[in-house]
Amino acid sequence: MKSSTVARAGRLLAIAACLAPTLSFADIVLGHSGDLSGTSAALTKDYLRGMNAYFDDLNKKGGVRGEKIKLVSRDDGFNPDKTAENTKALIEQNVLALVGYRGTANVQKIVPLVQAAGIAEIGNTSGAKSLRDPYVPGLFHVRASTTDEIEATVNHAWTIGVTRIAAAYQDDAFGKEGLDALNAAIQKRGGKAVAAAPVPRGTVDVDKAVEALAAADPQAVLFIGQSKPAAALVKGLRAKGKRPQFMVLSVASGLHADLGEDAAGVIVSQVVPYPFTELGTPVVRDYQKIIGQLDDKKYSYNSMEGFLNAKLVAQALQKIQPPYTRAKVISTLEAMNNEDLGGFAVSYGKQSNLGSRFVALTMIRKDGSFAR
């Protein structure tokens, strides 16, 4: 073909390209690994419901500069090795960021992968100190730490004269760090935990814990772990005629689903705003409006947390000048200081990944709702 013919063909192709209809942008793909089949599956699915509700609503409005956000979720059954396997696959799939992981051991397992790939993991349900102090590059927490939750819980107990406190804890890094935080909070007030009993991770095998706690006869029991073993523990102690004040952390806020009316009176620390009132903050009002459009209109703390995480991701993406890269996501998050998500603020830095220190205490009612 003559050079003039080639040039003319090139010009025609360029004109055709200009006249062609604009094609839709590629998806912004995010990756998630979580327990969709194990002991914390209900909580994980509820968290995802909140994230997907926000992303779906945003996508209906055009996404981020015309690009839709797509969340790819993989089941790890709460198994850290499977979490690592899933994360490798998601990174190879070229996801822009990882979001909403569940479990301290699971997140610890992926830290080397996250750092090697230069990718952010944004928002997870672990409050572990080891993922915050010393600073862990690549992780961006939204929720307050377990230490913050336990300090608020012990402070409340001490204020009302409840000083004989025992603990049952998930026998892993998360549970042991929580136990350390509990001991520190009680010792700061001149006391000592009256008993501490481990519960094997990922099980509801609470028999030994029940025996140890019943023998100590505490005024209050704090369970540091997920909701299903917490429910088994409450049932076991009550079967022995023991009725201490039960207290659980936010990761077990779905306790009513596993315990029913027997969950009434359990104190739960929460790390996101109260999602059940229309008089709430702007982000709560947005949450209620969007969740109210779903087939499942149920409000919950777990879906509220997922919703907040999704909004944080979206606000970070809005600040980035395309093309989007993993490095730009990280640098954008690091520059966020007192970032307002609608009455709920998060802050990061080049040596801080804490996000928020918000904690509020609630009590479960018979119908599963929460009193403040």
Side-chain angles (χ1 to χ4, degrees):
M1 186 180 294
K2 294 180 179 179
S3 59
S4 59
T5 304
V6 172
R8 187 164 55 252
R11 287 194 295 273
L12 290 172
L13 285 171
I15 293 170
C18 292
L19 295 175
T22 302
L23 298 175
S24 61
F25 289 95
D27 289 332
I28 298 171
V29 184
L30 306 174
H32 165 266
S33 179
D35 182 9
L36 302 177
S37 59
T39 55
S40 61
L43 299 177
T44 304
K45 291 174 182 178
D46 199 29
Y47 185 103
L48 285 171
R49 185 171 67 100
M51 274 206 296
N52 281 317
Y54 184 89
F55 288 144
D56 289 347
D57 182 73
L58 182 64
N59 288 340
K60 288 175 186 175
K61 296 172 181 175
V64 180
R65 299 186 187 87
E67 295 194 51
K68 305 296 179 66
I69 297 177
K70 179 181 179 182
L71 180 60
V72 177
S73 184
R74 291 173 174 261
D75 180 22
D76 58 35
F78 210 42
N79 182 321
D81 290 332
K82 183 64 176 176
T83 306
E85 180 184 321
N86 287 349
T87 301
K88 288 177 184 176
L90 290 166
I91 289 171
E92 289 171 1
Q93 191 177 333
N94 205 31
V95 299
L96 181 64
L98 303 168
V99 295
Y101 275 49
R102 187 168 204 94
T104 296
N106 306 71
V107 177
Q108 287 175 332
K109 192 77 173 181
I110 69 161
V111 167
L113 301 174
V114 165
Q115 294 174 347
I119 191 171
E121 194 287 318
I122 310 167
N124 59 73
T125 62
S126 172
K129 180 181 179 182
S130 61
L131 297 173
R132 290 166 168 80
D133 183 20
Y135 166 68
V136 180
L139 301 186
F140 295 88
H141 304 289
V142 174
R143 60 164 44 220
S145 70
T146 300
T147 299
D148 291 329
E149 289 191 66
I150 291 173
E151 170 60 28
T153 302
V154 172
N155 184 62
H156 170 74
W158 226 261
T159 300
I160 61 174
V162 175
T163 59
R164 287 182 46 79
I165 302 173
Y169 61 96
Q170 192 168 287
D171 194 11
D172 63 3
F174 166 69
K176 290 171 183 175
E177 285 189 13
L179 180 62
D180 288 342
L182 176 66
N183 286 331
I186 294 176
Q187 287 168 11
K188 184 169 71 174
R189 292 166 172 83
K192 184 179 180 181
V194 298
V199 173
R201 186 181 195 274
T203 77
V204 292
D205 181 9
V206 299
D207 291 348
K208 290 181 180 178
V210 167
E211 292 294 336
L213 297 177
D217 197 25
Q219 290 174 284
V221 172
L222 172 64
F223 182 70
I224 305 165
Q226 309 292 324
S227 64
K228 285 187 182 296
L233 187 80
V234 172
K235 289 178 182 177
L237 283 169
R238 286 181 176 167
K240 287 186 171 293
K242 302 295 182 181
R243 303 190 71 83
Q245 173 62 63
F246 290 103
M247 305 179 294
V248 298
L249 304 178
S250 56
V251 291
S253 63
L255 183 64
H256 186 271
D258 296 308
L259 195 56
E261 290 188 357
D262 286 340
V266 175
I267 291 174
V268 187
S269 55
Q270 306 290 358
V271 293
V272 297
Y274 191 75
F276 307 105
T277 175
E278 294 178 359
L279 300 176
T281 57
V283 72
V284 172
R285 292 195 293 272
D286 289 345
Y287 162 83
Q288 290 190 343
K289 180 180 178 181
I290 292 171
I291 293 294
Q293 297 170 1
L294 303 179
D295 291 336
D296 178 4
K297 298 177 174 62
K298 181 182 177 184
Y299 303 145
S300 68
Y301 278 105
N302 281 296
S303 60
M304 181 78 239
E305 186 174 354
F307 187 90
L308 278 168
N309 194 32
K311 186 167 186 179
L312 170 64
V313 171
Q315 286 192 195
L317 292 173
Q318 293 282 7
K319 295 174 183 290
I320 297 172
Q321 185 64 36
Y324 301 104
T325 67
R326 293 171 176 176
K328 286 182 181 180
V329 171
I330 290 174
S331 62
T332 300
L333 288 166
E334 287 178 342
M336 285 184 170
N337 181 34
N338 202 31
E339 180 75 14
D340 184 17
L341 301 182
F344 182 91
V346 294
S347 293
Y348 303 113
K350 289 191 177 296
Q351 291 298 318
S352 173
N353 60 3
L354 294 181
S356 166
R357 299 193 68 181
F358 173 89
V359 180
L361 299 182
T362 61
M363 181 175 283
I364 303 175
R365 300 188 182 103
K366 270 191 175 183
D367 63 359
S369 63
F370 292 89
R372 290 190 288 180

